[in-house]
Amino acid sequence: MDPRWHSDPIHQQRVRIAARVAPPLIALCGTAFAAETVFPHSANDAVMLSVLFWAGAGASLLIRRLAPPVVRVEGADPSARLVDEESGLGNAHFFRDVVQREFARNTRHRSGASVVLFDVRVVGFLPTFDGEEPPPFGKHVARIVSGVMRESDVAARLGKQRFGVLLAETDVTGARTFAERLATAFAGKPYARGAGGPGLHVSPVFGAAALSASFTNAASAVEAAAARLDALSTIVRRSALVA
């Protein structure tokens, strides 16, 4: 199980303060009760009751001192995460493990699977100042992909603009069909509005590869899909510059 990296919220600080203060406070209240209620009738019983209260407080303090320290790390360690925060999809580490398992299963059972990678760019965005970024599109991409893929498929975000989908029991022809359906879905309504009112759309460029016996491992299949995607992305960028 991956370690949980988290900050120290205020309510946890309050719980720890209460854990330190509560035992002696309870012992003090118990001693006052014994002195006022029990002592007039039996001094020995009052003393024994007070000793029990303070013994409990002392035991609580001893347990806290003997317990191993809790190590807290502020922020988050990206290497320990498997989910992209913005989109909610798995990240590159998650996708690598999923593809590796599917490749091993395909090697044993010849079930067939394909990997589809795609880069996205925002169309219609006009920055109002240098360095302005378009509105985040991760959730929009995740919603579109989830609406097109099957329950047996797995999607992930591999980079700021790159996404991947593992298609179970799908050959390259099926992967291309999936890419066409996904492109059609992205061409629908805009995911956001620009400062001047124009709609902003997400435009994808695809690359695909089958997890076939021609590849020695899962990584080589993903690299093949990435190479095809990079080649197509270069063509698209050049076309945009010419236009």
Side-chain angles (χ1 to χ4, degrees):
M1 180 177 295
D2 294 311
R4 292 183 178 273
W5 297 75
H6 57 84
S7 58
D8 196 13
I10 296 177
H11 76 274
Q12 290 186 359
Q13 297 178 7
R14 292 174 178 173
V15 168
R16 289 199 302 276
I17 293 173
R20 288 196 298 267
V21 174
L25 183 61
I26 293 174
L28 185 61
C29 293
T31 301
F33 172 81
E36 182 178 353
T37 306
V38 181
F39 185 79
H41 303 287
S42 174
N44 291 335
D45 290 345
V47 171
M48 289 298 297
L49 187 60
S50 298
V51 169
L52 289 175
F53 276 116
W54 285 105
S60 175
L61 178 61
L62 180 62
I63 291 172
R64 284 180 55 83
R65 289 187 176 276
L66 294 179
V70 177
V71 179
R72 291 179 173 81
V73 179
E74 296 296 331
D77 178 16
S79 66
R81 289 181 164 181
L82 295 176
V83 177
D84 172 64
E85 289 187 351
E86 181 191 327
S87 65
L89 299 173
N91 61 14
H93 301 291
F94 168 80
F95 194 67
R96 178 197 59 202
D97 294 341
V98 169
V99 174
Q100 183 61 51
R101 288 197 298 269
E102 184 63 28
F103 185 83
R105 189 174 76 89
N106 179 58
T107 302
R108 291 193 304 268
H109 305 293
R110 304 295 180 184
S111 55
S114 295
V115 173
V116 173
L117 304 184
F118 62 96
D119 285 343
V120 299
R121 61 189 182 96
V122 177
V123 179
F125 176 68
L126 300 175
T128 56
F129 57 86
D130 291 341
E132 183 183 8
E133 295 287 338
F137 48 78
K139 290 187 181 298
H140 173 72
V141 173
R143 183 169 57 252
I144 294 296
V145 174
S146 298
V148 175
M149 71 181 193
R150 304 162 301 179
E151 291 185 0
S152 58
D153 302 331
V154 180
R157 188 174 193 174
L158 311 182
K160 184 177 180 180
Q161 295 178 296
R162 178 157 296 187
F163 296 79
V165 182
L166 173 65
L167 302 172
E169 300 182 357
T170 304
D171 57 14
V172 173
T173 301
R176 291 170 181 164
T177 301
F178 170 82
E180 293 173 357
R181 293 171 54 208
L182 198 56
T184 301
F186 275 121
K189 63 180 181 179
Y191 83 96
R193 293 285 176 183
L200 305 182
H201 290 81
V202 171
S203 176
V205 179
F206 297 93
L211 299 183
S212 64
S214 60
F215 298 109
T216 57
N217 52 47
S220 59
V222 175
E223 290 171 1
R228 294 167 187 168
L229 174 56
D230 290 337
L232 290 174
S233 295
T234 301
I235 295 174
V236 170
R237 285 194 298 269
R238 289 175 178 172
S239 300
L241 290 175
V242 171

